[in-house]
Amino acid sequence: MPRRKAIVIAPPRDTSSDEAALRALYRKDPSRILPNALWKTIARLQSLECRFIDDTGSVTGVELREPGKLLIYGTRTQDPLKAASVKLDGVPTVYIHNDFVAPLAPWFDRKEAFFRLVHTGSELPLHATVPGYTIREVDTTTELPLVATILHACYDTPTPGTDEIATWTKRPVFASHAWLWIIDRKQKRPVALGIAETDKDTGEGSLEWIQVLPAFRSLGLGTMLVQELVYRLEQKVAFTTVAGQVKNPCEPNHLFRRCGFTGRDVWWVLHR
């Protein structure tokens, strides 16, 4: 029989210095450095090539690559020519800030825009209420199938199932106090869902899912949910971030701004 080749497993790469530098850079201007909450990038830093951008003697940005698959380019500088010099050979997807997208866009066929907003907690929102509705925490030990059902009812595209949602509760950023239902008191059932995460190492809260069943929209339930989540998060973090599609017909950008989120940052996902 032919001898089987031994599989060599490389030891984990030490990413502690990259993580510390990225965390310090991100805290200065989170919405401009990354298109997502920092913990999502830290969780996959082992598989990313990390290069920091030095401008006039100080670190101002970062370039993250997953060979042949991904590039994130985020920087606090204002020079779009730096982004134009980025090597894109064989990279099918790029995440890049709006200020630097123009010279790269012609290389790609499909383009999607996502806003990024921040709430600093300087002005905590009031607790909005809607008569006939109340807020309670999700029981993540028994109600994950119901979470999956609500998500499915809010989208025309595939949504996570119960097994995938269960993995979210195992993350270091899981915060049980930030999984919330809005309950219709008359029907005694959930009609809206909010899920947020808490990254204690960075001091960041992030809104991940804000969903209101179609039949219950335009009643103020989204505002009620976001304000409650922000209030709960800001007791434990320095700032809260949120992202969403610019061309979402529900216009979540307006909802978040009503609840105290600010910023002008837009990220583009470019696909070949």
Side-chain angles (χ1 to χ4, degrees), residues 73 75 79-88 96-97 99-101 103-104:
Y73 185 92
T75 175
D79 185 2
L81 294 179
K82 291 183 180 296
S85 66
V86 173
K87 295 180 180 179
L88 298 176
I96 193 161
H97 192 278
D99 287 353
F100 308 97
V101 72
L104 302 183

Side-chain angles (χ1 to χ4, degrees), residues 132-134 136 143 146 150 181-192 213 216:
Y133 299 89
T134 189
R136 76 162 172 85
E143 294 186 318
L146 185 54
I150 294 291
W181 294 124
I182 290 185
I183 304 294
D184 181 335
R185 287 175 174 167
K186 184 177 181 179
Q187 299 186 29
K188 297 181 179 180
R189 68 181 183 96
V191 297
L213 290 175
F216 295 85

Side-chain angles (χ1 to χ4, degrees), residues 231-244:
Y231 183 83
R232 291 182 177 220
L233 290 173
E234 295 292 354
Q235 309 302 305
K236 300 179 180 295
V237 300
F239 60 93
T240 299
T241 58
V242 69

Side-chain angles (χ1 to χ4, degrees), residues 102-147:
L104 302 183
W107 294 45
F108 296 85
D109 302 320
R110 294 184 292 118
K111 308 170 184 66
E112 300 175 86
F114 294 83
F115 63 81
R116 279 274 280 160
L117 301 174
V118 177
H119 198 296
T120 62
S122 56
E123 294 184 12
L124 289 177
L126 300 174
H127 287 272
T129 59
V130 178
Y133 299 89
T134 189
I135 288 177
R136 76 162 172 85
E137 294 182 9
V138 176
D139 184 343
T140 55
T141 63
T142 63
E143 294 186 318
L144 296 187
L146 185 54
V147 169

Side-chain angles (χ1 to χ4, degrees), residues 150-190:
I150 294 291
L151 291 180
H152 179 74
C154 291
Y155 288 91
D156 295 327
T157 54
T159 53
T162 302
D163 290 344
E164 181 178 348
I165 293 170
T167 66
W168 304 349
T169 67
K170 310 301 181 185
R171 295 169 176 165
V173 293
F174 169 67
S176 59
H177 71 285
W179 286 52
L180 302 179
W181 294 124
I182 290 185
I183 304 294
D184 181 335
R185 287 175 174 167
K186 184 177 181 179
Q187 299 186 29
K188 297 181 179 180
R189 68 181 183 96

